[in-house]
Amino acid sequence: MNYGVIGTSDITIRFIESAQETTDFNLTSVYSRSYDKAKQFADRFNALAVYTDLNEMANSDQVDIVYIASPNSLHFEQVKLFLRHKKHVICEKPIFSNLYEWQAAFQLADENGVFLFEAARNIHAPNFKRLKENVHRIGKIRSAVLSYMKYSSRYDLVLKGEEPNIFSLKFSGGALVDLGVYPIFAAVSLFGVPKKVTYFPVIIATGVDGSGTLILEYDGFVCTILCSKIVNADLPCEIHGEAGTIAFNHIAPPTKIEYKDRLTGGTEELAIPQKELDMVYEIEAFKEIIENQDRERYEELGRISEAVLRITEEARRQNGIVFGVER
């Protein structure tokens, strides 16, 4: 399967390196607004085609699927372009700015007989699947705390009075949609769609949430999500049940998972070895869906993706966080 990439950032490098771990996934094309940057990137990874025009890339018969890692606000128009040219699309999270874009794009994918995926790598990792398989052991769930708090070097630019994309309303940025989506994807995958969503953001100078606490209410328990791009924290994630607790070290994805039995006091390590280039698992999952035309699996991923976007949109609405594409 021949693929192209849009964007030349670190996440694109990680995607390409992960794709190299799979079979039948061949990089042919690189797009950047800068020819020199695209050419340098293509040479590094032995891609033959370089583009500065997205229409030319979308028309290429050397691209079966495209990976999009551009600024968030650009995703919708770029995704639509490739779907209209009957290319499968993997779009980096957050896939879109709002539900209107999500619904329009997924309808367009169906109309053109292609697949559209959100690159939420953590829910495809083997250790997340281990977590999901074992969560029943803790009995009736009574609470959960999931966190992803990592200081962004680009926040230094904000402190200097600048507005980098990830901290800009114009580019649909902010902590919740950038890092918070990882624990939200985990929560929806593990517990389903919450009954109620409440968000308490810390708004920074650029108008986005630099940090925040998201409360997801379920029947009988609350899931608290902590996210930040302006502080660091090494908090473990925990799910608490009447029969025990599952604790894991990271949300994207876990590498250590410990089950603690409340009655016996015993502990059990549940994690298994997994590849450091963990994006390989989402790539393999998407490739299998395409090859097998697995609509059931595809639609389940779509339901999760839609629910996550519905949560972030509601959280923003409560706090008057309006992206540029919505003005």
Side-chain angles (χ1 to χ4, degrees):
M1 186 176 295
N2 292 329
Y3 76 100
V5 296
I6 297 174
T8 54
S9 64
D10 289 345
I11 193 68
T12 307
I13 294 172
R14 184 169 180 144
F15 182 89
I16 293 170
E17 290 175 343
S18 297
Q20 290 172 340
E21 297 284 315
T22 70
T23 58
D24 301 324
F25 219 71
N26 178 48
L27 177 65
T28 62
S29 310
V30 175
Y31 167 85
S32 174
R33 289 174 298 173
S34 163
Y35 176 84
D36 290 341
K37 184 177 289 186
K39 182 68 166 63
Q40 184 180 23
F41 202 82
D43 289 345
R44 175 177 175 179
F45 294 106
N46 300 314
L48 298 179
V50 173
Y51 295 95
T52 56
D53 186 317
L54 279 178
N55 286 286
E56 290 182 10
M57 185 176 176
N59 275 296
S60 172
D61 60 4
Q62 294 299 308
V63 176
D64 303 312
I65 184 168
V66 64
Y67 170 73
I68 297 176
S70 55
N72 301 342
S73 61
L74 305 182
H75 289 177
F76 183 49
E77 294 301 327
Q78 293 175 348
V79 165
K80 287 194 300 179
L81 174 64
F82 282 86
L83 294 178
R84 288 190 181 114
H85 285 80
K86 301 187 185 304
K87 312 295 186 184
H88 305 294
V89 176
I90 300 171
C91 187
E92 192 52 59
K93 59 81 201 161
I95 189 168
F96 297 122
S97 298
N98 52 50
L99 282 169
Y100 165 79
E101 293 181 349
W102 189 97
Q103 291 162 352
F106 272 84
Q107 181 178 337
L108 188 61
D110 288 345
E111 290 171 355
N112 284 278
V114 289
F115 292 101
L116 171 58
F117 303 101
E118 182 167 10
R121 59 189 173 84
N122 59 322
I123 64 172
H124 298 282
N127 277 322
F128 182 79
K129 293 177 180 178
R130 287 282 291 167
L131 172 65
K132 193 170 184 177
E133 291 165 357
N134 283 274
V135 74
H136 71 278
R137 297 172 63 182
I138 67 174
K140 190 173 183 62
I141 297 172
R142 286 307 189 187
S143 64
V145 180
L146 308 177
S147 69
Y148 198 165
M149 306 174 75
K150 184 178 181 181
Y151 189 94
S152 169
S153 60
R154 295 180 186 178
Y155 184 56
D156 294 339
L157 300 176
V158 175
L159 296 176
K160 294 177 182 178
E162 299 179 34
E163 189 172 298
N165 294 352
I166 202 61
F167 288 110
S168 171
L169 291 172
K170 178 181 177 182
F171 289 99
S172 303
L176 186 66
V177 298
D178 186 58
L179 294 187
V181 290
Y182 287 112
I184 300 173
F185 262 99
V188 173
S189 298
L190 291 168
F191 314 132
V193 178
K195 294 168 53 181
K196 185 179 178 182
V197 174
T198 310
Y199 188 45
F200 303 94
V202 175
I203 304 297
I204 60 174
T206 61
V208 304
D209 53 324
S211 184
T213 301
L214 180 71
I215 305 298
L216 305 181
E217 296 183 37
Y218 292 89
D219 285 331
F221 74 99
V222 165
C223 175
T224 302
I225 290 176
L226 307 173
C227 63
S228 181
K229 291 182 70 64
I230 59 175
V231 301
N232 278 332
D234 295 318
L235 298 173
C237 298
E238 293 188 338
I239 306 171
H240 316 108
E242 293 179 351
T245 298
I246 286 183
F248 47 105
N249 64 330
H250 202 282
I251 199 69
T255 56
K256 296 179 181 179
I257 309 169
E258 186 178 57
Y259 166 68
K260 304 174 183 179
D261 189 293
R262 183 186 64 79
L263 295 176
T264 67
T267 62
E268 179 184 350
E269 176 59 38
L270 301 175
I272 58 177
Q274 62 186 21
K275 296 178 180 179
E276 184 175 350
L277 291 169
D278 53 72
M279 292 177 82
V280 69
Y281 301 113
E282 66 179 5
I283 294 170
E284 289 175 342
F286 301 154
K287 185 164 66 76
E288 288 174 5
I289 288 172
I290 294 170
E291 290 175 347
N292 298 326
Q293 291 291 296
D294 190 342
R295 295 293 305 183
E296 182 177 355
R297 192 175 177 194
Y298 173 67
E299 289 170 4
E300 173 60 21
L301 290 177
R303 284 191 290 270
I304 295 171
S305 176
E306 181 182 23
V308 171
L309 190 51
R310 191 177 297 277
I311 289 167
T312 60
E313 186 171 19
E314 170 60 17
R316 290 191 300 107
R317 185 199 64 77
Q318 292 173 5
N319 294 279
I321 301 171
V322 181
F323 291 149
V325 297
E326 298 166 325
R327 294 186 184 277

